[in-house]
Amino acid sequence: NAGVTQTPKFRILKIGQSMTLQCTQDMNHNYMYWYRQDPGMGLKLIYYSVGAGITDKGEVPNGYNVSRSTTEDFPLRLELAAPSQTSVYFCASSAVNEKLFFGSGTQLSVL
Amino acid sequence: GENVEQHPSTLSVQEGDSAVIKCTYSDSASNYFPWYKQELGKRPQLIIDIRSNVGEKKDQRIAVTLNKTAKHFSLHITETQPEDSAVYFCAASTPWDAGNMLTFGGGTRLMVKP
């Protein structure tokens, strides 16, 4: 079991560029999440999904989009990168009412 | 929505001493309270969790207590070791379709001095 796998690990974007952060899990979890963590801060929920085809906004969704076409994959899309999106992004998954498993994170810098 | 406050933001202890981190939550419907440890540059890792039907849970040197009436919960680490140095996050989960909608506290940077 690989758990939750995120790619890429690091990325530098220019303002206005777009990119997709990939997340896949092999634990057959229905629930998946995207969090962002700014330097020295806690984690804030961006988007979440309760199953394939179902997504919803979290606390800080502006500037991001997600899709969930399969149980395994939950990519996060940044359409027009802004410096405020410089952060570490964590994908996570869980079974029903169980603990979250986090991916290793993507460190994104927007310059 | 749920709001979780965590104190202190930094905590420095001598090796062998105890460390206590406290969190308060706002939503009385919250029923799951995990604690995560995050080492520098690493992902958060669950170290202990407690559900609202239990008042205390212990795992070796780590314990968590929950006071539902006061809406606060605490992490206790005894006999601290240098490898306990990390950032610790509490979280509270409000039920939604049986999933875990976690709201995290702001974190506590624990430093254990040898």
Side-chain angles (χ1 to χ4, degrees):
Chain A
N1 269 1
V4 180
T5 303
Q6 286 183 241
T7 57
K9 292 190 183 301
F10 303 94
R11 184 72 185 266
I12 298 174
L13 284 181
K14 294 182 179 178
I15 295 172
Q17 285 186 321
S18 300
M19 77 164 295
T20 299
L21 282 66
Q22 301 291 345
C23 176
T24 188
Q25 52 95 6
D26 62 0
M27 297 173 282
N28 201 33
H29 287 164
N30 283 332
Y31 300 90
M32 296 189 74
Y33 316 81
W34 275 104
Y35 288 90
R36 62 176 284 174
Q37 185 176 32
D38 296 337
M41 304 294 283
L43 294 107
K44 293 188 182 297
L45 183 65
I46 306 171
Y47 270 94
Y48 63 94
S49 169
V50 302
I54 306 170
T55 63
D56 208 345
K57 297 177 180 178
E59 184 182 0
V60 289
N62 291 344
Y64 308 94
N65 276 300
V66 294
S67 59
R68 185 95 182 270
S69 57
T70 66
T71 299
E72 295 78 18
D73 300 309
F74 190 40
L76 177 72
R77 178 83 178 161
L78 284 71
E79 289 294 348
L80 292 170
S84 61
Q85 293 178 304
T86 293
S87 191
V88 178
Y89 292 83
F90 287 101
C91 179
S93 71
S94 73
V96 173
N97 207 28
E98 291 295 331
K99 69 178 184 180
L100 268 62
F101 291 82
F102 284 89
S104 57
T106 295
Q107 188 168 323
L108 176 66
S109 295
V110 182
L111 306 176
Chain B
E2 175 65 277
N3 182 49
V4 178
E5 295 191 356
Q6 183 172 347
H7 300 280
S9 57
T10 60
L11 179 59
S12 181
V13 300
Q14 284 296 133
E15 182 177 359
D17 287 351
S18 295
V20 180
I21 303 170
K22 299 181 178 180
C23 289
T24 60
Y25 61 98
S26 61
D27 191 339
S28 56
S30 290
N31 63 358
Y32 173 64
F33 306 92
W35 286 88
Y36 286 84
K37 176 183 180 181
Q38 187 178 31
E39 297 175 346
L40 189 63
K42 301 288 182 65
R43 76 191 79 187
Q45 300 269 24
L46 181 77
I47 55 171
I48 195 167
D49 56 7
I50 191 168
R51 299 188 184 271
S52 58
N53 59 345
V54 175
E56 184 174 357
K57 184 176 179 181
K58 191 172 182 180
D59 183 3
Q60 297 183 336
R61 298 186 296 109
I62 295 173
V64 58
T65 58
L66 172 64
N67 183 326
K68 288 186 293 183
T69 303
K71 290 190 281 189
H72 67 70
F73 55 112
S74 300
L75 178 71
H76 304 253
I77 306 174
T78 59
E79 300 172 17
T80 53
Q81 301 167 2
E83 52 264 38
D84 293 330
S85 296
V87 179
Y88 291 81
F89 292 97
C90 65
S93 175
T94 305
W96 57 276
D97 295 332
N100 290 354
M101 179 69 77
L102 287 182
T103 300
F104 284 85
T108 296
R109 183 174 301 277
L110 174 63
M111 294 170 284
V112 180
K113 294 179 286 187

